Amino acid sequence: MADLSALIAGGPVFEQLVQQLLLPDNDARKHAEDIFNQFKDQYPDVCTTQLVTVLRTSQNVEHRSFAAIMLRKVLTRDDPALWHKCNAQVQATVKAELLNALKEESVKTVLKKVCDTISELAAEVSDGAGWPEMVPFMFQCVQSNQPGLMESALSIFACLAHYMVDTLKPSLPTLVQVLGACLGHPESEVQLASFRAVSSFIQALEEPSDRDKFQHMIPAMLTCLASTLNAQDEASAQEALEMFIEVAEAHPRFLRKQLVEVVQAMLAVARADQLEDSTRQLAAEFLVTLCEAREKAPGMMRKLPAFTANLFETLMLFLTDVEDDPLWHGADDDQHEDAGAGERYEFGQECLDRISISLGGNAIVAAAALLLPTWLQDADWCKRHAVLICLAQIAEGCTKVMVKELDPLVDMCVKGLADPQAKVRWAACQALGQMCTDLGPEMQNTQHAKILPSLMALMDDFENPRVQAHASAAVVNFSENADPDIMPPYLDTLITKLLLLLQRGKKLVQEGALTAMASVADCSQALFIKYYDSVMPLLTSILVGATDKSHRLLRAKALECISLVGMAVGRDRFRADARKVMEFLQVLQQTEMDSDDPTSSYILQAGARLCKCLKEEFLPYLQIVMPPLLKSARLDPDVKVKEADEDDEDDDEDLERIPIGDKTITIRTSCLEEKATACNMLCCYADELKEGFFPYVKEVTDIMVPLLKFWFHEEVRRAAVQTIPELLRSAVLAVEKGHCTEQGFVKQMLEYVWPPLVEALGKEPDVDVQSTMLDSVSEIVDMVDASMLQEEWVSAVFVKFGNILTSAEERRQERLKRQGTEDFDEEELEALEEENQQEEELFDQVGSCLGAFLKKFNDAVLPFVEKIMPQIAPLLATNRNAEDRRIAVCVVDDLLEHSPAGRVKYFPIVLPILMEAVTSEHADLRQCAVYGLGVLASKSPDMFKSACPEALTRVAAIVSHPDANNDDNEMATDNAVSTLGKIMEFHADVVDVNQVASLWLSKLPLTADRVEAVSQHEVLVKLLEAQDARILGQGNQNMSKIVTTLVRVLGDGTRLIAGDVGKRAAALLHQVQGSTPPETLQGAVFALTPKQQTNFQKYMTGQIPDGADD
């Protein structure tokens, strides 16, 4: 290899280096790269000149191509770019020679790389002196009538549109004229290059008025597409379709004026049987992309006559691309589950799912109703199969409409379960399973008598193991969303059949049966105890006996099933077997497992379930499960960064590819999922074991804090966010209970976790994760002593609250703009409301945080709250939706309750707001408003006195409404009754207190809002202990009501009354027994459930029940 001084001379020596840089041998190439990098760094002008020389003079095509690539890399992509190190003369030479190469290079592959280099260099220099001669030169080339030169120049214009569209805007009139002419050129290569340039400008131009200058070219673009198809040049046709898709993604409304023609053309391509699958799928992809353009063109495609029905039928035809492959029937595992499925079948499924979400249930179900019943009767099994697969795919997007049609939908599936073709029966299981997930629990509650017997019948089909296994899978879906009360009539038969499958079925069937058994146990809970002795021995036998490599998944699923059965039956029944299982896991973990062994991930989740079941009894086993869990939580992401144009030959489905600029990031998803699972399990252990988890708190905290900014995977971030408060709680409890003697540990831990949490809160891109972060902030504020939260921390987090509210309002304004578009309709409004709900959750969490700070700091935090009140106040306006107003009123309630200074300052402003909101038809808003009136009545009685009579009228209207106690209203009613109690207590001088007391007592007991129930039932006990005549009534006439109320309250244990107050209530009942008809007390007790009677008797014997009867 030559030294640097020899390279300066150029000629053969430099070209020899180029040859070395192209060697396949890594070591030799690496040495050449080192030489080249030294040469480039020390002699930028010479290196650049030598590359240009090779490009222009080398006889070796590969060398010229490489020189073009390297020029682009070193001049524009290196950091720092070599261009800025070159002198003016070299820069001028490079520009001139690149343009000369464009004219003179004869090899198309080299020419393409020259075009790329010119484009990127033009972008690189556009901020400086620019390249003034380049654009006129390109126009000359385009108008040269030399097809090769025209194609090259058009390709450069396509690139420049993305890099420097603003620079080219003055040339738009000429560009439009030239590109339009080229679209009609007789050479297809020129047409396509012009198509590419037009597409690029449409995408890049931000102003609709600029884009509209290209509007008239759409027919010519369609003609270009048709020409490629007629010439059977499907590669070019596919490129044209991809460009149409890019336009649809960027500016769908650009197509609106010619939408009918464009859609008709694309439907024709998608339905053309003679075309390649890839071509047809791209045409369908274009149409689906337009459907999904809801933010930029809401409702546009739904308004197009007959479009939904035509697209739906096209995708249904895609689903018929399926064959009855023998491999599908004969396999003993899921290896050949997709055997017989063509490309269009897979793509059609995906598209049906997408359009059901984007077009909405009303449009899709109407189209389906026209087609599916006919196809279900068709002699072609592929069409019957397609119907059932379709139902599975559209259920998620059409939930609200399909849930109203459960009878006919389930009948279609049950008919499919009895079909003579096995694949149709499999598809019916698929449809039922997915619909149980998406339409449950309504579907299970109303259709169980059709679904479960039909699925159980399929479990007897031992000749078709795939159908058996899929019937079990459908049972899993059914059970996951079912009410336990509907299971008992089926459990005997179902458990018997699943046990038979475990004993006689093929491995695939056994795996499905294990998952079904686990799901049924999880649903049935205590009802499963009856089957425990029959099931558990078989499960443990499989766990211990499934040792060979082919049975690893079976063993893993047995472990999953055992853990869920254990949770269902409870620790008293499971304790002995749990010990054996943990001992087995300890032995298993000491053996070396393959990296792809699924048992590892199942162990992580099973351990957490066993912990939930055994609670503190799990502590001795923590040392077994923690090492692998910590190892998984520490996994580094398997991430690679490549140039976007670098060939990627790895078709591993476990890899996710993310394009970012001129780079592609490749991430191995299984690694991230294992990490997320481990982090979630650690959160579970900390939550369940509390102070028992303390020995691991520091180690796990060190893992979780950096993961707050783990941008590769939102579930990892979410798990880290949720875990941090649990770890802090573990530390707080450990200190309180003497398990931690380290002075100041909680304060040190808070100093470690709080700043990163607040920093991450401000940077989090996902609204749901951000909402979880706010929840964690609120938890921590509730948990720690106020002295630990430094003032600068409080100030910083309030800045973040303000930023979050600002960003949310900006997103709201963007959504409002969509409402103003010409095609906006009811379906889009419904979708918009779902998006609003996500934002409302964010607002709600900010409000909860403000409440937590106010409870903790009272007036001290008022200045910080006041800084963001200008962002909260607009939510109180009557033109905002009821949920926004509710959130704002909750903040107001917290301010009134916990900040005396704020209460005085804002009383005149908020009182009218609360008085108006208390009459709202929205129950949750009404609840918050009436709660606020109760706060003012009790905490600012002097200020509230003049408003009290009117407030009483409005509160009384709430509790006296005929529907006051229905499910929607009961929380608001309980809060209104509580406010009545406060008016009775603090404003007896301005109201008819006897009338208020009578109304208040008549509405007891409170059962919906536990907090208000505990508060008001204590008030009742105090008034009775004081023998308050307003409560007892004239001649103790209210005693029967009082007795029945107290009996009912005591029957609920500690849910509706504090334990010590309950004992006082019981003492009162003992006192009045002699003066009350015995049948009153007996009748009240008789009305209780057995559990409630037990709670009542404990109180009456001076004890406090263990818990609440829910």
Side-chain angles (χ1 to χ4, degrees):
M1 178 63 66
D3 59 18
L4 297 186
S5 58
L7 287 172
I8 294 172
V13 179
F14 185 80
E15 194 153 354
Q16 183 186 0
L17 176 61
V18 170
Q19 180 66 44
Q20 295 288 324
L21 288 166
L22 290 166
L23 287 173
D25 180 79
N26 288 335
D27 292 336
R29 189 176 66 252
K30 177 69 169 62
H31 180 63
E33 287 170 355
D34 292 341
I35 296 290
F36 178 82
N37 287 331
Q38 290 177 44
F39 185 46
K40 176 191 69 173
D41 293 340
Q42 295 181 34
Y43 304 101
D45 289 325
V46 180
C47 181
T48 303
T49 304
Q50 300 286 24
L51 285 170
V52 171
T53 301
V54 172
L55 172 65
R56 297 292 290 125
T57 64
S58 175
Q59 298 301 304
N60 188 308
V61 172
E62 192 177 15
H63 290 186
R64 296 204 305 276
S65 180
F66 181 77
I69 292 170
M70 290 305 293
L71 276 169
R72 178 172 52 138
K73 180 180 183 299
V74 301
L75 293 177
T76 67
R77 295 193 176 188
D78 279 2
D79 189 14
L82 200 63
W83 176 260
H84 303 290
K85 294 183 178 181
C86 294
N87 64 45
Q89 184 179 350
V90 170
Q91 290 179 344
T93 300
V94 170
K95 290 177 180 178
E97 289 303 323
L98 283 173
L99 296 183
N100 287 333
L102 186 69
K103 287 191 296 185
E104 298 168 6
E105 176 58 58
S106 60
V107 179
K108 203 160 188 176
T109 55
V110 179
L111 191 56
K112 183 180 185 311
K113 293 175 174 60
V114 170
C115 292
D116 292 340
T117 303
I118 290 172
S119 303
E120 292 197 25
L121 182 59
E124 181 70 25
V125 303
S126 62
D127 292 336
W131 194 346
E133 64 273 22
M134 191 265 294
V135 172
F137 180 81
M138 291 303 132
F139 276 120
Q140 290 174 19
C141 293
V142 171
Q143 294 168 313
S144 69
N145 210 27
Q146 298 177 42
L149 200 54
M150 294 172 73
E151 183 184 354
S152 296
L154 289 166
S155 297
I156 291 171
F157 272 130
C159 293
L160 294 180
H162 295 294
Y163 293 141
M164 42 190 289
V165 69
D166 289 337
T167 306
L168 293 170
K169 268 190 181 182
S171 304
L172 263 187
T174 308
L175 265 170
V176 170
Q177 181 183 352
V178 168
L179 294 178
C182 290
L183 271 175
H185 195 277
E187 291 288 338
S188 61
E189 289 85 354
V190 175
Q191 287 182 27
L192 200 61
S194 181
F195 194 132
R196 194 179 301 112
V198 170
S199 166
S200 297
F201 276 103
I202 294 168
Q203 293 173 62
L205 290 165
E206 289 298 323
E207 290 299 321
S209 58
D210 290 329
R211 290 195 298 273
D212 286 345
K213 293 181 172 68
F214 295 86
Q215 184 78 230
H216 66 282
M217 296 187 191
I218 292 177
M221 293 165 75
L222 289 173
T223 301
C224 178
L225 172 62
S227 298
T228 61
L229 291 171
N230 291 335
Q232 298 184 344
D233 181 6
E234 292 203 43
S236 296
Q238 288 169 18
E239 188 178 350
L241 287 166
E242 286 169 352
M243 288 184 279
F244 263 120
I245 291 168
E246 290 169 4
V247 170
E249 287 174 339
H251 300 295
R253 294 180 69 195
F254 173 80
L255 300 164
R256 195 170 185 276
K257 291 180 181 177
Q258 285 97 359
L259 193 60
V260 172
E261 294 79 9
V262 175
V263 167
Q264 285 176 346
M266 294 298 177
L267 282 169
V269 174
R271 291 199 179 201
D273 290 336
Q274 74 276 18
L275 297 178
E276 296 174 9
D277 282 350
S278 299
T279 305
R280 299 175 65 184
Q281 287 166 210
L282 283 169
E285 176 64 33
F286 169 82
L287 297 170
V288 174
T289 299
L290 283 178
C291 295
E292 291 179 327
R294 303 182 76 161
E295 292 190 10
K296 297 177 180 178
M300 182 174 76
M301 300 311 291
R302 250 191 324 270
K303 292 281 183 72
L304 194 63
F307 167 72
T308 301
N310 286 329
L311 176 59
F312 182 81
E313 185 174 8
T314 301
L315 297 176
M316 287 295 294
L317 289 168
F318 279 18
L319 290 190
T320 62
D321 182 22
V322 61
E323 298 175 353
D324 194 4
D325 192 315
L327 284 173
W328 184 87
H329 292 273
D332 189 31
D333 54 37
D334 59 4
Q335 182 180 353
H336 298 291
E337 186 174 62
D338 297 327
E343 280 187 32
R344 281 178 287 117
Y345 171 78
E346 301 289 349
F347 184 74
Q349 286 189 86
E350 176 198 328
C351 289
L352 281 167
D353 180 41
R354 290 164 61 189
I355 67 167
S356 71
I357 293 169
S358 56
L359 294 178
N362 289 326
I364 294 299
V365 171
L370 294 173
L371 192 68
L372 299 193
T374 305
W375 278 37
L376 195 61
Q377 305 294 331
D378 201 284
D380 182 356
W381 72 264
C382 295
K383 287 190 173 182
R384 303 197 302 274
H385 180 270
V387 168
L388 297 161
I389 294 299
C390 170
L391 291 178
Q393 295 305 116
I394 68 173
E396 180 186 4
C398 302
T399 298
K400 291 182 180 178
V401 180
M402 289 175 69
V403 81
K404 299 173 185 175
E405 305 291 337
L406 289 175
D407 273 324
L409 288 170
V410 172
D411 287 345
M412 292 170 79
C413 294
V414 170
K415 180 179 174 65
L417 292 176
D419 196 277
Q421 223 288 344
K423 293 198 79 163
V424 177
R425 298 198 296 277
W426 182 95
C429 293
Q430 177 75 4
L432 276 176
Q434 194 60 51
M435 287 163 59
C436 282
T437 297
D438 295 325
L439 309 182
E442 290 87 349
M443 182 158 154
Q444 287 89 324
N445 289 341
T446 61
Q447 305 293 318
H448 56 86
K450 296 178 187 176
I451 296 172
L452 283 177
S454 300
L455 289 175
M456 288 190 289
L458 285 190
M459 293 179 183
D460 299 331
D461 187 3
F462 283 90
E463 293 183 5
N464 291 284
R466 280 207 192 279
V467 177
Q468 281 183 306
H470 222 47
S472 295
V475 168
V476 173
N477 296 110
F478 182 97
S479 304
E480 285 176 344
N481 217 357
D483 187 325
D485 292 342
I486 67 179
M487 297 301 289
Y490 309 104
L491 285 177
D492 284 353
T493 304
L494 182 54
I495 300 300
T496 301
K497 286 182 178 289
L498 290 174
L499 286 171
L500 186 62
L501 294 183
L502 287 174
Q503 293 163 327
R504 288 184 50 199
K506 289 192 172 184
K507 181 164 64 69
L508 178 69
V509 176
Q510 289 177 312
E511 291 167 359
L514 282 170
T515 307
M517 187 79 79
S519 185
V520 169
D522 190 37
C523 175
S524 304
Q525 292 297 299
L527 294 170
F528 203 83
I529 293 175
K530 173 182 176 182
Y531 310 99
Y532 185 83
D533 288 335
S534 301
V535 172
M536 188 55 70
L538 183 55
L539 297 181
T540 52
S541 171
I542 295 172
L543 180 67
V544 175
T547 54
D548 64 280
K549 190 169 183 176
S550 65
H551 286 79
R552 294 182 310 184
L553 183 59
L554 188 67
R555 177 176 66 183
K557 286 185 174 287
L559 177 60
E560 174 188 55
C561 190
I562 287 170
S563 63
L564 282 164
V565 167
M567 285 185 67
V569 301
R571 65 177 172 178
D572 290 339
R573 188 70 187 83
F574 182 53
R575 186 177 286 114
D577 288 306
R579 188 178 302 113
K580 296 174 187 174
V581 172
M582 291 308 302
E583 289 169 357
F584 173 78
L585 292 184
Q586 187 170 19
V587 173
L588 188 62
Q589 286 182 183
Q590 290 168 355
T591 62
E592 190 172 340
M593 285 189 274
D594 294 336
S595 59
D596 62 343
D597 190 337
T599 311
S600 301
S601 62
Y602 278 78
I603 287 175
L604 298 184
Q605 298 180 58
R609 293 192 200 100
L610 292 170
C611 177
K612 280 179 175 287
C613 175
L614 299 176
K615 300 192 181 301
E616 72 281 355
E617 293 181 21
F618 186 80
L619 282 171
Y621 306 120
L622 204 52
Q623 59 183 340
I624 299 173
V625 299
M626 285 301 288
L629 199 55
L630 294 169
K631 181 181 177 183
S632 295
R634 287 192 177 102
L635 282 173
D636 289 325
D638 184 356
V639 178
K640 294 177 183 175
V641 180
K642 298 181 179 180
E643 297 290 334
D645 53 6
E646 187 177 333
D647 290 338
D648 188 357
E649 297 177 359
D650 194 343
D651 59 355
D652 189 342
E653 292 183 0
D654 191 28
L655 295 178
E656 179 181 358
R657 294 167 181 82
I658 306 169
I660 300 179
D662 59 359
K663 300 284 191 293
T664 297
I665 296 178
T666 305
I667 307 173
R668 187 165 297 280
T669 55
S670 60
C671 168
L672 299 181
E673 287 158 8
E674 180 181 346
K675 188 179 183 77
T677 298
C679 292
N680 277 310
M681 297 307 101
L682 288 169
C683 182
C684 174
Y685 286 130
D687 177 36
E688 288 293 332
L689 299 175
K690 302 292 189 290
E691 67 276 9
F693 193 73
F694 180 72
Y696 295 96
V697 161
K698 187 176 186 308
E699 187 176 5
V700 176
T701 303
D702 287 339
I703 293 172
M704 293 297 168
V705 168
L707 296 182
L708 293 170
K709 293 190 284 187
F710 189 80
W711 307 122
F712 297 111
H713 202 273
E714 67 186 47
E715 281 308 312
V716 172
R717 298 198 304 280
R718 192 194 312 275
V721 169
Q722 291 172 327
T723 304
I724 284 173
E726 300 303 336
L727 295 170
L728 192 61
R729 184 175 287 107
S730 176
V732 169
L733 292 171
V735 169
E736 289 177 358
K737 298 185 180 182
H739 300 308
C740 172
T741 57
E742 188 177 337
Q743 201 74 358
F745 181 87
V746 173
K747 185 173 184 293
Q748 292 169 19
M749 185 175 173
L750 186 62
E751 289 170 348
Y752 180 63
V753 303
W754 181 271
L757 176 60
V758 173
E759 182 186 358
L761 175 64
K763 295 180 178 179
E764 176 54 52
D766 185 272
V767 171
D768 287 339
V769 177
Q770 196 171 53
S771 183
T772 305
M773 286 181 166
L774 289 166
D775 188 45
S776 291
V777 166
S778 182
E779 278 191 70
I780 291 172
V781 173
D782 284 339
M783 192 189 312
V784 302
D785 189 85
S787 63
M788 294 185 185
L789 291 164
Q790 303 168 23
E791 185 174 343
E792 58 266 33
W793 290 1
V794 177
S795 176
V797 80
F798 269 79
V799 170
K800 296 292 190 294
F801 295 158
N803 293 341
I804 289 168
L805 292 173
T806 298
S807 298
E809 179 59 23
E810 289 170 356
R811 291 192 293 269
R812 189 181 82 92
Q813 292 299 328
E814 285 298 315
R815 292 194 296 276
L816 287 174
K817 286 180 187 176
R818 283 157 57 189
Q819 285 185 259
T821 59
E822 57 268 67
D823 295 311
F824 193 86
D825 57 13
E826 286 298 317
E827 289 273 0
E828 286 304 321
L829 181 61
E830 190 174 304
L832 211 61
E833 287 172 352
E834 290 178 6
E835 292 178 39
N836 285 337
Q837 286 173 7
Q838 288 186 328
E839 296 288 4
E840 287 160 3
E841 174 66 20
L842 197 63
F843 277 130
D844 215 357
Q845 292 296 351
V846 171
S848 296
C849 285
L850 299 182
F853 275 102
L854 283 162
K855 288 171 194 170
K856 186 68 66 174
F857 291 98
N858 308 119
D859 284 341
V861 83
L862 183 60
F864 297 111
V865 175
E866 287 182 320
K867 285 181 181 178
I868 61 172
M869 280 308 286
Q871 292 165 278
I872 299 290
L875 303 182
L876 292 165
T878 53
N879 64 346
R880 292 298 287 255
N881 67 60
E883 189 60 21
D884 283 355
R885 295 178 67 201
R886 178 196 69 78
I887 293 163
V889 169
C890 282
V891 174
V892 168
D893 288 350
D894 285 326
L895 187 148
L896 296 176
E897 185 170 9
H898 303 292
S899 171
R903 189 163 59 246
V904 171
K905 184 175 181 178
Y906 293 105
F907 181 94
I909 300 171
V910 301
L911 179 62
I913 294 171
L914 296 178
M915 292 286 272
E916 186 278 330
V918 86
T919 64
S920 170
E921 293 183 3
H922 188 275
D924 292 342
L925 173 58
R926 200 163 63 243
Q927 174 192 343
C928 296
V930 78
Y931 179 86
L933 290 179
V935 170
L936 293 177
S938 58
K939 292 185 176 289
S940 294
D942 292 340
M943 298 175 71
F944 188 72
K945 201 167 291 295
S946 62
C948 187
E950 178 59 26
L952 175 60
T953 300
R954 299 185 183 207
V955 174
I958 294 175
V959 302
S960 303
H961 194 280
D963 296 327
N965 292 313
N966 70 20
D967 290 346
D968 291 334
N969 295 323
E970 59 183 354
M971 290 290 287
T973 300
D974 279 9
N975 279 263
V977 173
S978 179
T979 297
L980 279 179
K982 291 166 185 171
I983 289 173
M984 176 180 68
E985 183 177 358
F986 293 97
H987 297 280
D989 55 333
V990 293
V991 297
D992 184 339
V993 72
N994 289 318
Q995 188 176 8
V996 173
S998 176
L999 180 60
W1000 176 75
L1001 180 63
S1002 72
K1003 301 303 176 183
L1004 297 182
L1006 306 185
T1007 58
D1009 189 321
R1010 295 184 183 188
V1011 173
E1012 299 306 322
V1014 169
S1015 164
Q1016 292 306 295
H1017 298 150
E1018 182 173 6
V1019 170
L1020 174 63
V1021 170
K1022 285 180 180 177
L1023 294 174
L1024 291 174
E1025 288 172 333
Q1027 297 187 353
D1028 193 308
R1030 299 172 302 177
I1031 300 302
L1032 295 172
Q1034 188 173 3
N1036 289 344
Q1037 66 183 26
N1038 295 334
M1039 192 57 67
S1040 292
K1041 170 63 177 173
I1042 291 168
V1043 168
T1044 55
T1045 297
L1046 291 179
V1047 169
R1048 174 70 178 84
V1049 169
L1050 296 180
D1052 269 12
T1054 54
R1055 189 174 80 91
L1056 303 178
I1057 195 166
D1060 58 335
V1061 180
K1063 290 171 69 174
R1064 289 158 52 196
L1068 289 168
L1069 283 174
H1070 280 300
Q1071 291 174 23
V1072 302
Q1073 278 185 2
S1075 58
T1076 307
E1079 59 270 16
T1080 301
L1081 181 61
Q1082 291 168 5
V1085 174
F1086 182 76
L1088 300 177
T1089 67
K1091 176 65 186 299
Q1092 288 174 326
Q1093 289 178 4
T1094 301
N1095 290 335
F1096 175 76
Q1097 292 303 330
K1098 283 191 174 182
Y1099 273 124
M1100 295 301 284
T1101 56
Q1103 304 173 69
I1104 297 175
D1106 293 334
D1109 181 40
D1110 293 326

